[in-house]
Amino acid sequence: MKLLNGVLASTLFLTVHGFYTASDDVMELSPSNFNKQVLQSDSMWLVEFYAPWCGHCQRLTPDWKKAATALKGIVKLGAVDADQHKSLAGQYGISGFPTIKIFGANKNKPEDYQGGRTSQAIVEGTMTALRSLVKDRLSGWTGGSGHSKQRGGESGTGSKKDVVELTDDNFDKLVLNGHEVWMVEFFAPWCGHCKKLEPEWTAAAIAVKEQTKGKVKLGAVDATVHQGLARRYGIRGFPTIKIFSKGEEPKDYDGGRTRPDIVAQAIELFSANVPPPEVLEIINQDVFKRTCDDYQLCIVAILPHILDTGASGRNGYLEVMRKMADKYKKKTWGWLWAEAGSQAELESSLGIGGFGYPAMAAINVRKMKFSLLKGSFSETGIHEFLRDLSVGRGSTAPVRGGILPTIHTVEAWDGKDGQLPIEEDIDVSDVELDDLEKDEL
């Protein structure tokens, strides 16, 4: 039976792996061809990010092929196996499958495709986006490809001002004494490899700036002019790229030299250095709304009443949450908790209660959907829950009523053990027992 199951699993994998072939009008995209085919193209692209095991992706495939054939010569359709090319998917924040992105006027800021998933709906939605692109170009916005010019004469995939020019005078102040992480290219103007890298480095700079909120910067040093810097860091060939993190020795960057490779490395550096998100108590509407609106997902835990666990028990649960928030900090999710019963309407809208406390739900406010933790409230249980969600395997349900309830304002937990309410002493000295016995009769 185990052998049969293995054969069936292998057959299924072979069936779903590789949705598109050379005979289809859908181009399979990867880090090796994405920059040239999509980002440097003047064409509009619709790109599907899929996973071979995803049922929704399998159902989309025939419609995606039909739409690609219908739009051939007008708009290009591509597909990225996000399981195989995780760095490329991570570059565009892909967390569910299938996700479709429109690469139109500004290739550095692709838009989410929000239309239907039938071939006709895809074609109609694409034509609407195409008309919008044409209007933008008529009004002077022509940022389709890496070689086109946008307003102000800046390149559509970045501009040289996004790459910081580093010199003997400003290097220590900006790089060594700054709080950002730096990727620094040491180049020579006559170097052929440097010339090939320049458009990729320039194109990556604006994406890195946006996706890391300026916490990772790209710089460049003309090593023929600033020879002191080149000698200090042992530069012997061009281009040489080094990574500078505050308080650490510089490291050599040995990754790819394309825009996606550079951006992926920058995001990895950003994620490694970003502090974990704070685990906040839901004490009012503002805390809840701000956290859930600002992030793709907010993870909400409902912890037992303080009288049931005491301070040590509650702190144990919160420590588990902090560890998981740190583990998944690259996802930049929001993390919240509330005491059981303090936000009863919220619990009801998420179907919490049937599994007891502690409980946990992951909420997507934009889609008004949530998923419940069914396993244990432990590092292992929560990790399995969030891992499945992050790859699109978790089961979801719509928020009851289609809207989240208003949050009650409550006092923040003071970190102490709970206290039972003080009962008033009743003086029964003046009550005649004979009268009580008569009343009972």
Side-chain angles (χ1 to χ4, degrees), residues 39-74:
L39 300 181
Q40 295 183 10
S41 168
D42 287 321
S43 301
M44 173 181 281
W45 278 81
L46 262 70
V47 178
E48 172 205 4
F49 292 83
Y50 72 90
W53 44 260
C54 164
H56 292 297
C57 303
Q58 294 168 31
R59 287 190 286 274
L60 174 63
T61 301
D63 284 291
W64 197 244
K65 290 179 180 180
K66 288 180 183 177
T69 300
L71 292 165
K72 188 174 181 179
I74 304 171

PDB file of all heavy atoms in Angstrom, residues 39-74:
ATOM      1  N   LEU A  39      10.633  43.155 -17.350  1.00  0.00           N
ATOM      2  CA  LEU A  39      10.960  44.486 -16.843  1.00  0.00           C
ATOM      3  C   LEU A  39      11.549  45.405 -17.903  1.00  0.00           C
ATOM      4  O   LEU A  39      11.345  46.623 -17.865  1.00  0.00           O
ATOM      5  CB  LEU A  39      11.920  44.365 -15.657  1.00  0.00           C
ATOM      6  CG  LEU A  39      11.394  43.558 -14.469  1.00  0.00           C
ATOM      7  CD1 LEU A  39      12.415  43.533 -13.350  1.00  0.00           C
ATOM      8  CD2 LEU A  39      10.071  44.101 -13.953  1.00  0.00           C
ATOM      9  N   GLN A  40      12.298  44.837 -18.844  1.00  0.00           N
ATOM     10  CA  GLN A  40      12.893  45.666 -19.882  1.00  0.00           C
ATOM     11  C   GLN A  40      12.058  45.700 -21.149  1.00  0.00           C
ATOM     12  O   GLN A  40      12.479  46.244 -22.167  1.00  0.00           O
ATOM     13  CB  GLN A  40      14.311  45.163 -20.194  1.00  0.00           C
ATOM     14  CG  GLN A  40      15.274  45.325 -19.028  1.00  0.00           C
ATOM     15  CD  GLN A  40      16.683  44.895 -19.370  1.00  0.00           C
ATOM     16  OE1 GLN A  40      17.007  44.639 -20.519  1.00  0.00           O
ATOM     17  NE2 GLN A  40      17.534  44.812 -18.361  1.00  0.00           N
ATOM     18  N   SER A  41      10.882  45.129 -21.083  1.00  0.00           N
ATOM     19  CA  SER A  41      10.011  45.079 -22.258  1.00  0.00           C
ATOM     20  C   SER A  41       9.121  46.309 -22.327  1.00  0.00           C
ATOM     21  O   SER A  41       8.723  46.873 -21.301  1.00  0.00           O
ATOM     22  CB  SER A  41       9.142  43.820 -22.196  1.00  0.00           C
ATOM     23  OG  SER A  41       8.109  43.868 -23.153  1.00  0.00           O
ATOM     24  N   ASP A  42       8.782  46.716 -23.541  1.00  0.00           N
ATOM     25  CA  ASP A  42       7.809  47.797 -23.719  1.00  0.00           C
ATOM     26  C   ASP A  42       6.377  47.288 -23.642  1.00  0.00           C
ATOM     27  O   ASP A  42       5.434  48.073 -23.625  1.00  0.00           O
ATOM     28  CB  ASP A  42       8.026  48.488 -25.081  1.00  0.00           C
ATOM     29  CG  ASP A  42       9.281  49.353 -25.088  1.00  0.00           C
ATOM     30  OD1 ASP A  42       9.539  50.015 -24.070  1.00  0.00           O
ATOM     31  OD2 ASP A  42      10.010  49.340 -26.095  1.00  0.00           O
ATOM     32  N   SER A  43       6.216  45.972 -23.614  1.00  0.00           N
ATOM     33  CA  SER A  43       4.882  45.374 -23.610  1.00  0.00           C
ATOM     34  C   SER A  43       4.296  45.336 -22.202  1.00  0.00           C
ATOM     35  O   SER A  43       5.023  45.290 -21.202  1.00  0.00           O
ATOM     36  CB  SER A  43       4.941  43.942 -24.158  1.00  0.00           C
ATOM     37  OG  SER A  43       5.440  43.917 -25.474  1.00  0.00           O
ATOM     38  N   MET A  44       2.976  45.339 -22.150  1.00  0.00           N
ATOM     39  CA  MET A  44       2.303  45.062 -20.886  1.00  0.00           C
ATOM     40  C   MET A  44       2.327  43.546 -20.660  1.00  0.00           C
ATOM     41  O   MET A  44       2.131  42.763 -21.590  1.00  0.00           O
ATOM     42  CB  MET A  44       0.858  45.567 -20.900  1.00  0.00           C
ATOM     43  CG  MET A  44       0.064  45.142 -19.669  1.00  0.00           C
ATOM     44  SD  MET A  44      -1.657  45.706 -19.710  1.00  0.00           S
ATOM     45  CE  MET A  44      -1.423  47.399 -19.208  1.00  0.00           C
ATOM     46  N   TRP A  45       2.550  43.157 -19.413  1.00  0.00           N
ATOM     47  CA  TRP A  45       2.583  41.740 -19.045  1.00  0.00           C
ATOM     48  C   TRP A  45       1.580  41.453 -17.930  1.00  0.00           C
ATOM     49  O   TRP A  45       1.415  42.255 -17.008  1.00  0.00           O
ATOM     50  CB  TRP A  45       3.974  41.351 -18.548  1.00  0.00           C
ATOM     51  CG  TRP A  45       4.967  41.043 -19.614  1.00  0.00           C
ATOM     52  CD1 TRP A  45       5.704  41.930 -20.344  1.00  0.00           C
ATOM     53  CD2 TRP A  45       5.355  39.742 -20.068  1.00  0.00           C
ATOM     54  NE1 TRP A  45       6.520  41.273 -21.224  1.00  0.00           N
ATOM     55  CE2 TRP A  45       6.338  39.922 -21.075  1.00  0.00           C
ATOM     56  CE3 TRP A  45       4.978  38.440 -19.726  1.00  0.00           C
ATOM     57  CZ2 TRP A  45       6.939  38.861 -21.735  1.00  0.00           C
ATOM     58  CZ3 TRP A  45       5.575  37.373 -20.374  1.00  0.00           C
ATOM     59  CH2 TRP A  45       6.548  37.578 -21.371  1.00  0.00           C
ATOM     60  N   LEU A  46       0.910  40.310 -18.029  1.00  0.00           N
ATOM     61  CA  LEU A  46       0.181  39.739 -16.907  1.00  0.00           C
ATOM     62  C   LEU A  46       0.942  38.485 -16.498  1.00  0.00           C
ATOM     63  O   LEU A  46       1.177  37.605 -17.332  1.00  0.00           O
ATOM     64  CB  LEU A  46      -1.255  39.359 -17.284  1.00  0.00           C
ATOM     65  CG  LEU A  46      -2.333  40.381 -16.916  1.00  0.00           C
ATOM     66  CD1 LEU A  46      -2.179  41.608 -17.799  1.00  0.00           C
ATOM     67  CD2 LEU A  46      -3.716  39.776 -17.040  1.00  0.00           C
ATOM     68  N   VAL A  47       1.339  38.433 -15.235  1.00  0.00           N
ATOM     69  CA  VAL A  47       2.158  37.321 -14.760  1.00  0.00           C
ATOM     70  C   VAL A  47       1.430  36.586 -13.636  1.00  0.00           C
ATOM     71  O   VAL A  47       1.024  37.190 -12.641  1.00  0.00           O
ATOM     72  CB  VAL A  47       3.532  37.812 -14.264  1.00  0.00           C
ATOM     73  CG1 VAL A  47       4.348  36.639 -13.741  1.00  0.00           C
ATOM     74  CG2 VAL A  47       4.281  38.525 -15.393  1.00  0.00           C
ATOM     75  N   GLU A  48       1.275  35.294 -13.845  1.00  0.00           N
ATOM     76  CA  GLU A  48       0.656  34.426 -12.837  1.00  0.00           C
ATOM     77  C   GLU A  48       1.763  33.781 -12.007  1.00  0.00           C
ATOM     78  O   GLU A  48       2.677  33.159 -12.545  1.00  0.00           O
ATOM     79  CB  GLU A  48      -0.176  33.332 -13.507  1.00  0.00           C
ATOM     80  CG  GLU A  48      -0.684  32.276 -12.518  1.00  0.00           C
ATOM     81  CD  GLU A  48      -0.958  30.930 -13.165  1.00  0.00           C
ATOM     82  OE1 GLU A  48      -0.692  30.778 -14.379  1.00  0.00           O
ATOM     83  OE2 GLU A  48      -1.425  30.033 -12.458  1.00  0.00           O
ATOM     84  N   PHE A  49       1.683  33.940 -10.685  1.00  0.00           N
ATOM     85  CA  PHE A  49       2.568  33.231  -9.767  1.00  0.00           C
ATOM     86  C   PHE A  49       1.784  32.029  -9.223  1.00  0.00           C
ATOM     87  O   PHE A  49       0.731  32.211  -8.594  1.00  0.00           O
ATOM     88  CB  PHE A  49       3.015  34.144  -8.628  1.00  0.00           C
ATOM     89  CG  PHE A  49       3.916  35.268  -9.068  1.00  0.00           C
ATOM     90  CD1 PHE A  49       3.380  36.444  -9.594  1.00  0.00           C
ATOM     91  CD2 PHE A  49       5.294  35.154  -8.970  1.00  0.00           C
ATOM     92  CE1 PHE A  49       4.205  37.489 -10.006  1.00  0.00           C
ATOM     93  CE2 PHE A  49       6.124  36.188  -9.383  1.00  0.00           C
ATOM     94  CZ  PHE A  49       5.579  37.355  -9.902  1.00  0.00           C
ATOM     95  N   TYR A  50       2.267  30.828  -9.485  1.00  0.00           N
ATOM     96  CA  TYR A  50       1.513  29.629  -9.125  1.00  0.00           C
ATOM     97  C   TYR A  50       2.383  28.626  -8.381  1.00  0.00           C
ATOM     98  O   TYR A  50       3.614  28.746  -8.321  1.00  0.00           O
ATOM     99  CB  TYR A  50       0.923  28.973 -10.372  1.00  0.00           C
ATOM    100  CG  TYR A  50       1.941  28.294 -11.268  1.00  0.00           C
ATOM    101  CD1 TYR A  50       2.278  26.955 -11.079  1.00  0.00           C
ATOM    102  CD2 TYR A  50       2.565  28.980 -12.313  1.00  0.00           C
ATOM    103  CE1 TYR A  50       3.212  26.317 -11.898  1.00  0.00           C
ATOM    104  CE2 TYR A  50       3.504  28.359 -13.138  1.00  0.00           C
ATOM    105  CZ  TYR A  50       3.819  27.034 -12.921  1.00  0.00           C
ATOM    106  OH  TYR A  50       4.751  26.404 -13.715  1.00  0.00           O
ATOM    107  N   ALA A  51       1.720  27.650  -7.778  1.00  0.00           N
ATOM    108  CA  ALA A  51       2.399  26.509  -7.160  1.00  0.00           C
ATOM    109  C   ALA A  51       1.822  25.238  -7.785  1.00  0.00           C
ATOM    110  O   ALA A  51       0.598  25.128  -7.946  1.00  0.00           O
ATOM    111  CB  ALA A  51       2.177  26.503  -5.649  1.00  0.00           C
ATOM    112  N   PRO A  52       2.658  24.273  -8.144  1.00  0.00           N
ATOM    113  CA  PRO A  52       2.169  23.074  -8.844  1.00  0.00           C
ATOM    114  C   PRO A  52       1.114  22.291  -8.075  1.00  0.00           C
ATOM    115  O   PRO A  52       0.252  21.649  -8.680  1.00  0.00           O
ATOM    116  CB  PRO A  52       3.453  22.247  -9.033  1.00  0.00           C
ATOM    117  CG  PRO A  52       4.550  23.243  -9.001  1.00  0.00           C
ATOM    118  CD  PRO A  52       4.116  24.301  -8.025  1.00  0.00           C
ATOM    119  N   TRP A  53       1.165  22.333  -6.728  1.00  0.00           N
ATOM    120  CA  TRP A  53       0.218  21.558  -5.925  1.00  0.00           C
ATOM    121  C   TRP A  53      -1.112  22.293  -5.699  1.00  0.00           C
ATOM    122  O   TRP A  53      -2.053  21.735  -5.131  1.00  0.00           O
ATOM    123  CB  TRP A  53       0.835  21.252  -4.553  1.00  0.00           C
ATOM    124  CG  TRP A  53       1.522  22.414  -3.921  1.00  0.00           C
ATOM    125  CD1 TRP A  53       2.854  22.664  -3.895  1.00  0.00           C
ATOM    126  CD2 TRP A  53       0.908  23.521  -3.231  1.00  0.00           C
ATOM    127  NE1 TRP A  53       3.129  23.844  -3.248  1.00  0.00           N
ATOM    128  CE2 TRP A  53       1.953  24.386  -2.830  1.00  0.00           C
ATOM    129  CE3 TRP A  53      -0.405  23.854  -2.921  1.00  0.00           C
ATOM    130  CZ2 TRP A  53       1.711  25.568  -2.132  1.00  0.00           C
ATOM    131  CZ3 TRP A  53      -0.648  25.031  -2.239  1.00  0.00           C
ATOM    132  CH2 TRP A  53       0.403  25.869  -1.844  1.00  0.00           C
ATOM    133  N   CYS A  54      -1.198  23.548  -6.130  1.00  0.00           N
ATOM    134  CA  CYS A  54      -2.366  24.385  -5.839  1.00  0.00           C
ATOM    135  C   CYS A  54      -3.534  24.046  -6.759  1.00  0.00           C
ATOM    136  O   CYS A  54      -3.443  24.151  -7.987  1.00  0.00           O
ATOM    137  CB  CYS A  54      -1.973  25.857  -5.991  1.00  0.00           C
ATOM    138  SG  CYS A  54      -3.356  27.003  -6.118  1.00  0.00           S
ATOM    139  N   GLY A  55      -4.658  23.630  -6.172  1.00  0.00           N
ATOM    140  CA  GLY A  55      -5.841  23.263  -6.955  1.00  0.00           C
ATOM    141  C   GLY A  55      -6.404  24.421  -7.748  1.00  0.00           C
ATOM    142  O   GLY A  55      -6.812  24.257  -8.906  1.00  0.00           O
ATOM    143  N   HIS A  56      -6.444  25.613  -7.134  1.00  0.00           N
ATOM    144  CA  HIS A  56      -6.953  26.789  -7.847  1.00  0.00           C
ATOM    145  C   HIS A  56      -6.075  27.105  -9.066  1.00  0.00           C
ATOM    146  O   HIS A  56      -6.576  27.528 -10.109  1.00  0.00           O
ATOM    147  CB  HIS A  56      -6.990  28.000  -6.907  1.00  0.00           C
ATOM    148  CG  HIS A  56      -7.998  27.870  -5.807  1.00  0.00           C
ATOM    149  ND1 HIS A  56      -9.348  27.770  -6.040  1.00  0.00           N
ATOM    150  CD2 HIS A  56      -7.852  27.816  -4.453  1.00  0.00           C
ATOM    151  CE1 HIS A  56      -9.989  27.676  -4.882  1.00  0.00           C
ATOM    152  NE2 HIS A  56      -9.101  27.694  -3.912  1.00  0.00           N
ATOM    153  N   CYS A  57      -4.755  26.895  -8.911  1.00  0.00           N
ATOM    154  CA  CYS A  57      -3.838  27.140 -10.031  1.00  0.00           C
ATOM    155  C   CYS A  57      -4.105  26.157 -11.166  1.00  0.00           C
ATOM    156  O   CYS A  57      -4.092  26.529 -12.346  1.00  0.00           O
ATOM    157  CB  CYS A  57      -2.390  27.015  -9.567  1.00  0.00           C
ATOM    158  SG  CYS A  57      -1.944  28.114  -8.204  1.00  0.00           S
ATOM    159  N   GLN A  58      -4.348  24.909 -10.818  1.00  0.00           N
ATOM    160  CA  GLN A  58      -4.617  23.892 -11.834  1.00  0.00           C
ATOM    161  C   GLN A  58      -5.889  24.224 -12.606  1.00  0.00           C
ATOM    162  O   GLN A  58      -5.960  24.040 -13.827  1.00  0.00           O
ATOM    163  CB  GLN A  58      -4.723  22.518 -11.162  1.00  0.00           C
ATOM    164  CG  GLN A  58      -3.417  22.034 -10.536  1.00  0.00           C
ATOM    165  CD  GLN A  58      -3.605  20.831  -9.646  1.00  0.00           C
ATOM    166  OE1 GLN A  58      -4.479  20.000  -9.872  1.00  0.00           O
ATOM    167  NE2 GLN A  58      -2.774  20.712  -8.617  1.00  0.00           N
ATOM    168  N   ARG A  59      -6.890  24.726 -11.881  1.00  0.00           N
ATOM    169  CA  ARG A  59      -8.152  25.069 -12.548  1.00  0.00           C
ATOM    170  C   ARG A  59      -8.004  26.316 -13.427  1.00  0.00           C
ATOM    171  O   ARG A  59      -8.715  26.471 -14.417  1.00  0.00           O
ATOM    172  CB  ARG A  59      -9.255  25.269 -11.508  1.00  0.00           C
ATOM    173  CG  ARG A  59      -9.733  23.969 -10.872  1.00  0.00           C
ATOM    174  CD  ARG A  59     -10.978  24.187 -10.033  1.00  0.00           C
ATOM    175  NE  ARG A  59     -10.678  24.861  -8.782  1.00  0.00           N
ATOM    176  CZ  ARG A  59     -10.293  24.240  -7.676  1.00  0.00           C
ATOM    177  NH1 ARG A  59     -10.122  22.927  -7.681  1.00  0.00           N
ATOM    178  NH2 ARG A  59     -10.064  24.920  -6.557  1.00  0.00           N
ATOM    179  N   LEU A  60      -7.090  27.205 -13.048  1.00  0.00           N
ATOM    180  CA  LEU A  60      -6.889  28.428 -13.825  1.00  0.00           C
ATOM    181  C   LEU A  60      -6.157  28.161 -15.138  1.00  0.00           C
ATOM    182  O   LEU A  60      -6.355  28.881 -16.122  1.00  0.00           O
ATOM    183  CB  LEU A  60      -6.090  29.452 -12.989  1.00  0.00           C
ATOM    184  CG  LEU A  60      -5.651  30.742 -13.692  1.00  0.00           C
ATOM    185  CD1 LEU A  60      -6.872  31.557 -14.141  1.00  0.00           C
ATOM    186  CD2 LEU A  60      -4.756  31.572 -12.770  1.00  0.00           C
ATOM    187  N   THR A  61      -5.322  27.141 -15.175  1.00  0.00           N
ATOM    188  CA  THR A  61      -4.416  26.903 -16.301  1.00  0.00           C
ATOM    189  C   THR A  61      -5.083  26.946 -17.678  1.00  0.00           C
ATOM    190  O   THR A  61      -4.617  27.669 -18.572  1.00  0.00           O
ATOM    191  CB  THR A  61      -3.661  25.574 -16.119  1.00  0.00           C
ATOM    192  OG1 THR A  61      -2.914  25.633 -14.903  1.00  0.00           O
ATOM    193  CG2 THR A  61      -2.717  25.305 -17.277  1.00  0.00           C
ATOM    194  N   PRO A  62      -6.166  26.189 -17.943  1.00  0.00           N
ATOM    195  CA  PRO A  62      -6.751  26.234 -19.292  1.00  0.00           C
ATOM    196  C   PRO A  62      -7.262  27.617 -19.674  1.00  0.00           C
ATOM    197  O   PRO A  62      -7.143  28.033 -20.835  1.00  0.00           O
ATOM    198  CB  PRO A  62      -7.889  25.207 -19.216  1.00  0.00           C
ATOM    199  CG  PRO A  62      -8.158  25.003 -17.767  1.00  0.00           C
ATOM    200  CD  PRO A  62      -6.855  25.208 -17.078  1.00  0.00           C
ATOM    201  N   ASP A  63      -7.811  28.350 -18.702  1.00  0.00           N
ATOM    202  CA  ASP A  63      -8.292  29.703 -18.997  1.00  0.00           C
ATOM    203  C   ASP A  63      -7.129  30.664 -19.230  1.00  0.00           C
ATOM    204  O   ASP A  63      -7.223  31.575 -20.064  1.00  0.00           O
ATOM    205  CB  ASP A  63      -9.176  30.209 -17.843  1.00  0.00           C
ATOM    206  CG  ASP A  63     -10.555  29.570 -17.854  1.00  0.00           C
ATOM    207  OD1 ASP A  63     -11.332  29.874 -18.765  1.00  0.00           O
ATOM    208  OD2 ASP A  63     -10.840  28.753 -16.971  1.00  0.00           O
ATOM    209  N   TRP A  64      -6.051  30.467 -18.508  1.00  0.00           N
ATOM    210  CA  TRP A  64      -4.875  31.314 -18.691  1.00  0.00           C
ATOM    211  C   TRP A  64      -4.294  31.104 -20.096  1.00  0.00           C
ATOM    212  O   TRP A  64      -3.892  32.052 -20.764  1.00  0.00           O
ATOM    213  CB  TRP A  64      -3.839  30.986 -17.617  1.00  0.00           C
ATOM    214  CG  TRP A  64      -2.766  32.012 -17.417  1.00  0.00           C
ATOM    215  CD1 TRP A  64      -1.429  31.851 -17.632  1.00  0.00           C
ATOM    216  CD2 TRP A  64      -2.921  33.357 -16.938  1.00  0.00           C
ATOM    217  NE1 TRP A  64      -0.745  32.993 -17.328  1.00  0.00           N
ATOM    218  CE2 TRP A  64      -1.634  33.948 -16.896  1.00  0.00           C
ATOM    219  CE3 TRP A  64      -4.019  34.124 -16.553  1.00  0.00           C
ATOM    220  CZ2 TRP A  64      -1.419  35.263 -16.483  1.00  0.00           C
ATOM    221  CZ3 TRP A  64      -3.814  35.427 -16.141  1.00  0.00           C
ATOM    222  CH2 TRP A  64      -2.538  35.987 -16.109  1.00  0.00           C
ATOM    223  N   LYS A  65      -4.280  29.847 -20.547  1.00  0.00           N
ATOM    224  CA  LYS A  65      -3.789  29.548 -21.890  1.00  0.00           C
ATOM    225  C   LYS A  65      -4.697  30.171 -22.955  1.00  0.00           C
ATOM    226  O   LYS A  65      -4.209  30.754 -23.934  1.00  0.00           O
ATOM    227  CB  LYS A  65      -3.719  28.031 -22.102  1.00  0.00           C
ATOM    228  CG  LYS A  65      -2.638  27.332 -21.300  1.00  0.00           C
ATOM    229  CD  LYS A  65      -2.661  25.832 -21.570  1.00  0.00           C
ATOM    230  CE  LYS A  65      -1.602  25.094 -20.780  1.00  0.00           C
ATOM    231  NZ  LYS A  65      -1.623  23.634 -21.028  1.00  0.00           N
ATOM    232  N   LYS A  66      -6.008  30.056 -22.780  1.00  0.00           N
ATOM    233  CA  LYS A  66      -6.944  30.633 -23.746  1.00  0.00           C
ATOM    234  C   LYS A  66      -6.783  32.150 -23.816  1.00  0.00           C
ATOM    235  O   LYS A  66      -6.789  32.745 -24.903  1.00  0.00           O
ATOM    236  CB  LYS A  66      -8.388  30.288 -23.355  1.00  0.00           C
ATOM    237  CG  LYS A  66      -8.769  28.826 -23.569  1.00  0.00           C
ATOM    238  CD  LYS A  66     -10.213  28.611 -23.141  1.00  0.00           C
ATOM    239  CE  LYS A  66     -10.617  27.138 -23.258  1.00  0.00           C
ATOM    240  NZ  LYS A  66     -11.999  26.906 -22.783  1.00  0.00           N
ATOM    241  N   ALA A  67      -6.658  32.786 -22.653  1.00  0.00           N
ATOM    242  CA  ALA A  67      -6.502  34.241 -22.624  1.00  0.00           C
ATOM    243  C   ALA A  67      -5.197  34.651 -23.304  1.00  0.00           C
ATOM    244  O   ALA A  67      -5.160  35.649 -24.040  1.00  0.00           O
ATOM    245  CB  ALA A  67      -6.526  34.739 -21.174  1.00  0.00           C
ATOM    246  N   ALA A  68      -4.139  33.883 -23.093  1.00  0.00           N
ATOM    247  CA  ALA A  68      -2.847  34.201 -23.714  1.00  0.00           C
ATOM    248  C   ALA A  68      -2.947  34.136 -25.233  1.00  0.00           C
ATOM    249  O   ALA A  68      -2.385  34.983 -25.946  1.00  0.00           O
ATOM    250  CB  ALA A  68      -1.778  33.235 -23.205  1.00  0.00           C
ATOM    251  N   THR A  69      -3.668  33.149 -25.735  1.00  0.00           N
ATOM    252  CA  THR A  69      -3.840  33.021 -27.190  1.00  0.00           C
ATOM    253  C   THR A  69      -4.673  34.170 -27.737  1.00  0.00           C
ATOM    254  O   THR A  69      -4.353  34.748 -28.783  1.00  0.00           O
ATOM    255  CB  THR A  69      -4.512  31.679 -27.522  1.00  0.00           C
ATOM    256  OG1 THR A  69      -3.682  30.617 -27.037  1.00  0.00           O
ATOM    257  CG2 THR A  69      -4.705  31.520 -29.014  1.00  0.00           C
ATOM    258  N   ALA A  70      -5.736  34.538 -27.008  1.00  0.00           N
ATOM    259  CA  ALA A  70      -6.606  35.633 -27.460  1.00  0.00           C
ATOM    260  C   ALA A  70      -5.869  36.976 -27.463  1.00  0.00           C
ATOM    261  O   ALA A  70      -6.129  37.835 -28.303  1.00  0.00           O
ATOM    262  CB  ALA A  70      -7.845  35.710 -26.576  1.00  0.00           C
ATOM    263  N   LEU A  71      -4.936  37.142 -26.524  1.00  0.00           N
ATOM    264  CA  LEU A  71      -4.233  38.428 -26.388  1.00  0.00           C
ATOM    265  C   LEU A  71      -2.880  38.440 -27.092  1.00  0.00           C
ATOM    266  O   LEU A  71      -2.132  39.418 -26.979  1.00  0.00           O
ATOM    267  CB  LEU A  71      -4.025  38.747 -24.897  1.00  0.00           C
ATOM    268  CG  LEU A  71      -5.304  39.053 -24.103  1.00  0.00           C
ATOM    269  CD1 LEU A  71      -5.033  38.996 -22.604  1.00  0.00           C
ATOM    270  CD2 LEU A  71      -5.859  40.422 -24.486  1.00  0.00           C
ATOM    271  N   LYS A  72      -2.579  37.374 -27.811  1.00  0.00           N
ATOM    272  CA  LYS A  72      -1.277  37.256 -28.473  1.00  0.00           C
ATOM    273  C   LYS A  72      -1.031  38.447 -29.397  1.00  0.00           C
ATOM    274  O   LYS A  72      -1.890  38.823 -30.193  1.00  0.00           O
ATOM    275  CB  LYS A  72      -1.216  35.950 -29.272  1.00  0.00           C
ATOM    276  CG  LYS A  72       0.161  35.640 -29.852  1.00  0.00           C
ATOM    277  CD  LYS A  72       0.159  34.266 -30.507  1.00  0.00           C
ATOM    278  CE  LYS A  72       1.534  33.922 -31.065  1.00  0.00           C
ATOM    279  NZ  LYS A  72       1.552  32.579 -31.685  1.00  0.00           N
ATOM    280  N   GLY A  73       0.131  39.057 -29.267  1.00  0.00           N
ATOM    281  CA  GLY A  73       0.466  40.226 -30.080  1.00  0.00           C
ATOM    282  C   GLY A  73      -0.046  41.527 -29.506  1.00  0.00           C
ATOM    283  O   GLY A  73       0.233  42.601 -30.042  1.00  0.00           O
ATOM    284  N   ILE A  74      -0.826  41.446 -28.425  1.00  0.00           N
ATOM    285  CA  ILE A  74      -1.385  42.648 -27.798  1.00  0.00           C
ATOM    286  C   ILE A  74      -0.806  42.831 -26.395  1.00  0.00           C
ATOM    287  O   ILE A  74      -0.227  43.859 -26.068  1.00  0.00           O
ATOM    288  CB  ILE A  74      -2.929  42.559 -27.727  1.00  0.00           C
ATOM    289  CG1 ILE A  74      -3.513  42.326 -29.121  1.00  0.00           C
ATOM    290  CG2 ILE A  74      -3.512  43.819 -27.074  1.00  0.00           C
ATOM    291  CD1 ILE A  74      -4.984  42.010 -29.117  1.00  0.00           C
TER     292      ILE A  74
END
